[in-house]
Amino acid sequence: MSEQRARGLVPLLCWPAAMGRPLSPDHVDAVRLEEVLAADFIEYRRRRLPFWTDPTPAPVPEGVEPWPHAPGPPFEQWPGLTPAMPVTSAGPTPEEAASSLLAGLIETREFGLDECCLVLVPAHRSSDALALIGWSAEAPLPLLCALLRSWEDRFGAQVVAVFGSELHVSVARPLVEAEHASRLALEHVLSTADNIVDDPPTPFPEYATDLVGRTSWSFWWD
């Protein structure tokens, strides 16, 4: 991977059908990430607050366990981006973390992997790869790529694979302090991915706690 990146090529596993019309990095450059996330959080909180403040379980079909009550993020306003994790000589490089995630996907025979091909994307950073292949998921691509750029800078995150509408990201410098977990979990929520706290239903504090020490993140959109 290091040699390919030195040549300005980012390796990416993806379904051929997932590639569409490339999105210029200029569209990602134009995203004012903090401003967009702050505005998105206001709208997200407005829509979800009635559910967060009502502990009454939502009705479910007979024989189905009620969804756990989700109190939502512990913020009344956008708290700002999660602080970056420092680079240390003890941790893996982003390329090593990406290779480890790829090996794990192969070992577990992740669903959809056998339909993937290896694409070498002409990009200088992995966070631009999805824009340059024109990833055709339901994700808000400019915002998602802006988030990925920021995660790459702060956590050594690398885009490793996309299976249809599913995204797998390696993390070289995961969170080590629980006090920042809620802020990072909120960034994940505001990516608009459907699996974050919603599918399967996961209380926000539980999702946040699980991010501490976690070396890979996955997202999917319906």
Side-chain angles (χ1 to χ4, degrees):
M1 284 190 174
S2 297
E3 181 181 350
Q4 291 158 341
R5 290 185 191 283
R7 296 178 179 176
L9 298 172
V10 171
L12 176 67
L13 279 180
C14 71
W15 289 359
M19 294 186 287
R21 178 177 296 178
L23 177 72
S24 169
D26 291 345
H27 288 84
V28 184
D29 295 341
V31 176
R32 297 181 179 273
L33 188 58
E34 286 264 23
E35 294 179 16
V36 171
L37 293 180
D40 287 353
F41 177 58
I42 291 173
E43 175 59 19
Y44 176 75
R45 189 172 188 273
R46 183 193 67 78
R47 288 187 287 105
R48 294 298 187 100
L49 192 59
F51 301 100
W52 297 339
T53 55
D54 183 1
T56 306
V60 295
E62 185 177 353
V64 176
E65 286 290 326
W67 289 9
H69 174 61
F75 310 112
E76 294 187 2
Q77 58 187 1
W78 168 243
L81 295 174
T82 314
M85 293 302 300
V87 178
T88 67
S89 58
T93 66
E95 290 77 18
E96 289 169 342
S99 294
S100 179
L101 173 57
L102 177 58
L105 293 174
I106 293 172
E107 182 179 350
T108 58
R109 298 184 179 182
E110 184 74 21
F111 175 78
L113 184 66
D114 56 349
E115 298 178 43
C116 285
C117 62
L118 177 64
V119 177
L120 296 178
V121 185
H124 292 289
R125 52 191 301 168
S126 83
S127 47
D128 286 341
L130 297 186
L132 292 172
I133 68 167
W135 188 38
S136 57
E138 294 299 320
L141 201 50
L143 172 61
L144 176 61
C145 290
L147 273 167
L148 288 167
R149 282 182 178 181
S150 185
W151 293 337
E152 183 173 354
D153 293 339
R154 287 180 287 144
F155 307 109
Q158 300 282 290
V159 176
V160 174
V162 284
F163 309 149
S165 295
E166 187 172 338
L167 167 65
H168 293 269
V169 178
S170 63
V171 184
R173 304 191 302 276
L175 279 185
V176 295
E177 297 179 11
E179 65 178 291
H180 299 313
S182 290
R183 290 168 72 173
L184 180 57
L186 181 56
E187 292 181 38
H188 284 202
V189 165
L190 296 179
S191 74
T192 76
D194 292 300
N195 64 308
I196 309 301
V197 309
D198 284 340
D199 192 0
T202 308
F204 183 91
E206 182 179 323
Y207 181 83
T209 299
D210 189 51
L211 289 174
V212 177
R214 190 168 170 181
T215 57
S216 66
W217 304 333
S218 61
F219 308 84
W220 64 260
W221 286 260
D222 252 339

